[in-house]
Amino acid sequence: MFPSTSRDGGRDPWADGPSTGPSGPAPGYPPAPRTGPAEEERRERKGPRRLRKGGPGRRSDDASEEAPDEEAPPVEFRRPLALTVAGFAALLATGLVLGAQTAGPGHRLPFAVVIFGVQMLYVLAWTMAMRPPALLVVALVSAGTAAIADIAAVQSDIAGLAPLGYAALAGLVLGVLGQLVRRVDRVRVTDSLGGTLLIVVGVVAFASLIVLSRIPKGTQAITVCLTAAGVALLVARLTDAVAPWPRLAPQVPRGAAGVVVGAMLGTLTSAVLGSYLVGFTPTSAALVGVVTAATAVLADLAVGYAEAGRLMAGEPPTMWVARHMQGPLGGFALAAPAAYAMCVLFL
């Protein structure tokens, strides 16, 4: 079965010719260590190995890759701050609801003045918080867009959102062009496009309340929807001041209980109002109220996450007043077109 001698047995071990068999180390002897410039360079690149307690050694470069990231400490809850923001949300809702009561056929100007004041607060808070390139240009363009949208909402022959859409598009184009003029701001124009869009569209969204006051049941819808949104924001912030649990994120000082309870009580308030207002029933009022209340509290919560993201990215904190006005203003800015859509589609 097997030959008694190897195939290299008859060959002279001192022969100079190449071996015909497979090359390899002689049996019984360990392989010779590798030497040469390439091997020495590879050893120097790896670096020294160090021992770990309870495990094999590893290189220092591997240690830097496997080291866990240090977690930032959670942001503490501040009860006075939550109470202050809750009070601001209540005042804002009261002003908008009472301003809507002054609107009537041929008398839209007082309500437009109230809306324009809220729009200026929105421009101040959001430009200072987001700080887009050419901040002054974006703020001036947004203020001009707000004025044009309010005038279009009051003076247009047919109550609709088309003039407001044109105003928003013109404001966005002018805001971007204002940032492209300066070479310093031209580099960041792509990153700031989203921020400019939020500011311009937000001020135009408030003008939709003027359009809503011009259609049947519009003033009653504003009362129901903005009251629901105001109660939702108020209760959410008050709950955060008393029982901020369970915490949604370590970097966001908000609790899930406030968001849920605020939306529920806002819906309940709208249902109660619907039983007293002409043209509404508790069911229809609760339907439009739950949408606007949930929209307001979720927008307020999203603003908190956006601010935490900016701080984690290394950006310096913004003005204290503007930073905490941003949430309620964003909630009402998103609740206004939601109220218009619910009134047009379901009432």
Side-chain angles (χ1 to χ4, degrees):
M1 297 293 293
F2 298 98
S4 59
T5 59
S6 63
R7 53 186 174 182
D8 296 335
R11 185 173 57 87
D12 188 0
W14 292 279
D16 296 333
S19 175
T20 58
S23 61
Y29 294 94
R34 299 179 180 178
T35 58
E39 182 66 20
E40 293 179 359
E41 180 180 356
R42 186 174 66 87
R43 290 180 179 177
E44 293 178 358
R45 184 173 63 252
K46 285 185 177 181
R49 299 174 64 89
R50 63 177 185 180
L51 295 178
R52 289 186 298 172
K53 184 177 181 181
R58 65 177 182 182
R59 294 189 301 272
S60 58
D61 52 356
D62 295 336
S64 61
E65 295 177 358
E66 298 178 4
D69 297 333
E70 295 182 0
E71 296 182 358
V75 180
E76 62 177 355
F77 288 97
R78 290 182 286 179
R79 182 174 299 178
L81 176 61
L83 295 175
T84 303
V85 177
F88 174 71
L91 289 175
L92 192 59
T94 303
L96 290 173
V97 171
L98 293 180
Q101 303 305 316
T102 64
H107 297 85
R108 312 291 179 186
L109 186 59
F111 188 37
V113 172
V114 174
I115 293 297
F116 185 73
V118 176
Q119 288 169 328
M120 293 302 98
L121 289 177
Y122 182 90
V123 171
L124 172 65
W126 280 72
T127 51
M128 294 302 298
M130 305 194 73
R131 286 177 297 183
L135 187 147
L136 183 59
V137 174
V138 174
L140 292 177
V141 169
S142 301
T145 304
I148 294 174
D150 294 344
I151 294 173
V154 173
Q155 299 293 335
S156 60
D157 296 333
I158 300 175
L161 297 181
L164 305 186
Y166 298 145
L169 181 61
L172 179 62
V173 172
L174 290 177
V176 174
L177 290 178
Q179 298 174 23
L180 288 175
V181 170
R182 299 179 57 187
R183 183 177 300 178
V184 178
D185 302 326
R186 197 179 305 164
V187 180
R188 296 179 52 199
V189 68
T190 303
D191 299 334
S192 66
L193 181 60
T196 307
L197 180 65
L198 287 176
I199 297 172
V200 173
V201 173
V203 296
V204 175
F206 279 108
S208 64
L209 294 175
I210 304 176
V211 179
L212 182 58
S213 67
R214 297 180 56 185
I215 64 178
K217 299 183 182 179
T219 303
Q220 292 87 343
I222 293 175
T223 302
V224 171
C225 294
L226 295 189
T227 301
V231 170
L233 292 173
L234 174 65
V235 173
R237 293 291 184 163
L238 290 178
T239 306
D240 287 340
V242 177
W245 183 88
R247 185 156 188 161
L248 294 173
Q251 294 80 19
V252 182
R254 299 295 304 274
V259 176
V260 175
V261 175
M264 293 175 63
L265 290 183
T267 305
L268 178 61
T269 304
S270 63
V272 172
L273 285 176
S275 61
Y276 293 99
L277 294 177
V278 178
F280 277 87
T281 63
T283 303
S284 61
L287 179 63
V288 298
V290 66
V291 173
T292 52
T295 300
V297 293
L298 291 179
D300 185 21
L301 182 63
V303 169
Y305 274 92
E307 179 64 23
R310 286 193 293 267
L311 294 178
M312 293 177 64
E315 298 183 8
T318 58
M319 184 187 299
W320 185 89
V321 177
R323 185 167 67 250
H324 300 296
M325 287 170 54
Q326 190 183 7
L329 287 169
F332 282 106
L334 197 58
Y340 181 88
M342 294 299 295
C343 183
V344 171
L345 296 177
F346 297 101
L347 296 180

